[in-house]
mmCIF file of all heavy atoms in Angstrom:
data_model
loop_
_atom_site.group_PDB
_atom_site.id
_atom_site.type_symbol
_atom_site.label_atom_id
_atom_site.label_comp_id
_atom_site.label_asym_id
_atom_site.label_seq_id
_atom_site.Cartn_x
_atom_site.Cartn_y
_atom_site.Cartn_z
ATOM 1 N N ASP W 108 16.710 9.454 -4.240
ATOM 2 C CA ASP W 108 15.989 10.732 -4.307
ATOM 3 C C ASP W 108 14.465 10.486 -4.429
ATOM 4 O O ASP W 108 13.874 10.660 -5.531
ATOM 5 C CB ASP W 108 16.526 11.568 -5.468
ATOM 6 C CG ASP W 108 15.784 12.954 -5.612
ATOM 7 O OD1 ASP W 108 15.233 13.371 -4.641
ATOM 8 O OD2 ASP W 108 15.920 13.587 -6.671
ATOM 9 N N VAL W 109 13.838 10.152 -3.292
ATOM 10 C CA VAL W 109 12.533 9.694 -3.312
ATOM 11 C C VAL W 109 11.560 10.727 -2.798
ATOM 12 O O VAL W 109 11.889 11.410 -1.792
ATOM 13 C CB VAL W 109 12.389 8.318 -2.469
ATOM 14 C CG1 VAL W 109 12.752 8.490 -1.034
ATOM 15 C CG2 VAL W 109 11.013 7.692 -2.637
ATOM 16 N N HIS W 110 10.435 10.891 -3.411
ATOM 17 C CA HIS W 110 9.356 11.810 -2.989
ATOM 18 C C HIS W 110 8.074 10.978 -2.844
ATOM 19 O O HIS W 110 7.962 9.841 -3.409
ATOM 20 C CB HIS W 110 9.249 12.911 -3.943
ATOM 21 C CG HIS W 110 10.497 13.578 -4.115
ATOM 22 N ND1 HIS W 110 10.759 14.925 -3.650
ATOM 23 C CD2 HIS W 110 11.579 13.363 -5.120
ATOM 24 C CE1 HIS W 110 11.950 15.271 -4.023
ATOM 25 N NE2 HIS W 110 12.521 14.406 -4.863
ATOM 26 N N GLY W 111 7.118 11.609 -2.182
ATOM 27 C CA GLY W 111 5.760 10.884 -1.952
ATOM 28 C C GLY W 111 4.625 11.751 -1.952
ATOM 29 O O GLY W 111 4.719 13.032 -1.654
ATOM 30 N N VAL W 112 3.349 11.202 -2.229
ATOM 31 C CA VAL W 112 2.159 11.946 -2.159
ATOM 32 C C VAL W 112 1.130 11.150 -1.576
ATOM 33 O O VAL W 112 1.020 9.929 -1.935
ATOM 34 C CB VAL W 112 1.818 12.486 -3.600
ATOM 35 C CG1 VAL W 112 1.750 11.340 -4.603
ATOM 36 C CG2 VAL W 112 0.540 13.247 -3.556
ATOM 37 N N ASP W 113 0.376 11.571 -0.673
ATOM 38 C CA ASP W 113 -0.723 10.958 -0.074
ATOM 39 C C ASP W 113 -1.780 11.915 0.448
ATOM 40 O O ASP W 113 -1.446 12.972 0.856
ATOM 41 C CB ASP W 113 -0.189 10.071 1.023
ATOM 42 C CG ASP W 113 -1.221 9.014 1.491
ATOM 43 O OD1 ASP W 113 -2.250 9.296 2.044
ATOM 44 O OD2 ASP W 113 -0.803 7.782 1.252
ATOM 45 N N LEU W 114 -2.993 11.468 0.579
ATOM 46 C CA LEU W 114 -4.054 12.311 1.228
ATOM 47 C C LEU W 114 -3.845 12.344 2.668
ATOM 48 O O LEU W 114 -4.324 13.393 3.215
ATOM 49 C CB LEU W 114 -5.503 11.641 0.988
ATOM 50 C CG LEU W 114 -6.041 12.054 -0.517
ATOM 51 C CD1 LEU W 114 -7.393 11.282 -0.533
ATOM 52 C CD2 LEU W 114 -6.346 13.516 -0.617
ATOM 53 N N ASP W 115 -3.116 11.401 3.235
ATOM 54 C CA ASP W 115 -3.137 11.354 4.714
ATOM 55 C C ASP W 115 -1.897 12.037 5.201
ATOM 56 O O ASP W 115 -0.812 11.781 4.663
ATOM 57 C CB ASP W 115 -3.081 9.860 5.219
ATOM 58 C CG ASP W 115 -4.438 9.208 5.057
ATOM 59 O OD1 ASP W 115 -5.462 9.919 4.952
ATOM 60 O OD2 ASP W 115 -4.532 7.957 5.019
ATOM 61 N N TYR W 116 -2.090 12.826 6.349
ATOM 62 C CA TYR W 116 -0.949 13.409 6.885
ATOM 63 C C TYR W 116 -0.144 12.359 7.740
ATOM 64 O O TYR W 116 -0.782 11.638 8.535
ATOM 65 C CB TYR W 116 -1.443 14.476 7.916
ATOM 66 C CG TYR W 116 -0.329 15.311 8.606
ATOM 67 C CD1 TYR W 116 0.323 16.268 8.055
ATOM 68 C CD2 TYR W 116 -0.166 14.980 10.011
ATOM 69 C CE1 TYR W 116 1.435 16.912 8.801
ATOM 70 C CE2 TYR W 116 0.946 15.559 10.680
ATOM 71 C CZ TYR W 116 1.588 16.562 10.115
ATOM 72 O OH TYR W 116 2.583 17.169 10.749
ATOM 73 N N PRO W 117 1.221 12.225 7.566
ATOM 74 C CA PRO W 117 1.895 11.221 8.240
ATOM 75 C C PRO W 117 2.154 11.612 9.747
ATOM 76 O O PRO W 117 2.470 12.707 9.935
ATOM 77 C CB PRO W 117 3.240 11.200 7.434
ATOM 78 C CG PRO W 117 3.426 12.416 6.867
ATOM 79 C CD PRO W 117 1.912 13.123 6.692
ATOM 80 N N LEU W 118 2.121 10.443 10.509
ATOM 81 C CA LEU W 118 2.629 10.735 11.887
ATOM 82 C C LEU W 118 3.995 10.166 12.054
ATOM 83 O O LEU W 118 4.152 8.895 12.400
ATOM 84 C CB LEU W 118 1.690 10.046 12.843
ATOM 85 C CG LEU W 118 1.847 10.336 14.328
ATOM 86 C CD1 LEU W 118 1.676 11.831 14.744
ATOM 87 C CD2 LEU W 118 0.851 9.437 15.203
ATOM 88 N N LEU W 119 4.991 10.841 11.841
ATOM 89 C CA LEU W 119 6.399 10.473 11.933
ATOM 90 C C LEU W 119 6.889 10.378 13.470
ATOM 91 O O LEU W 119 7.606 9.419 13.750
ATOM 92 C CB LEU W 119 7.391 11.383 11.198
ATOM 93 C CG LEU W 119 6.983 11.602 9.723
ATOM 94 C CD1 LEU W 119 8.085 12.443 9.046
ATOM 95 C CD2 LEU W 119 6.881 10.195 8.880
ATOM 96 N N ARG W 120 6.473 11.381 14.112
ATOM 97 C CA ARG W 120 6.858 11.397 15.532
ATOM 98 C C ARG W 120 5.640 11.874 16.324
ATOM 99 O O ARG W 120 4.796 12.730 15.812
ATOM 100 C CB ARG W 120 8.076 12.429 15.790
ATOM 101 C CG ARG W 120 9.393 11.765 15.358
ATOM 102 C CD ARG W 120 10.513 12.737 15.313
ATOM 103 N NE ARG W 120 10.354 13.669 14.247
ATOM 104 C CZ ARG W 120 11.266 14.507 13.944
ATOM 105 N NH1 ARG W 120 12.335 14.712 14.608
ATOM 106 N NH2 ARG W 120 11.070 15.438 12.835
#
Side-chain angles (χ1 to χ4, degrees):
D108 181 17
V109 62
H110 304 260
V112 58
D113 197 293
L114 278 176
D115 288 343
Y116 178 79
L118 186 62
L119 303 182
R120 286 169 285 187

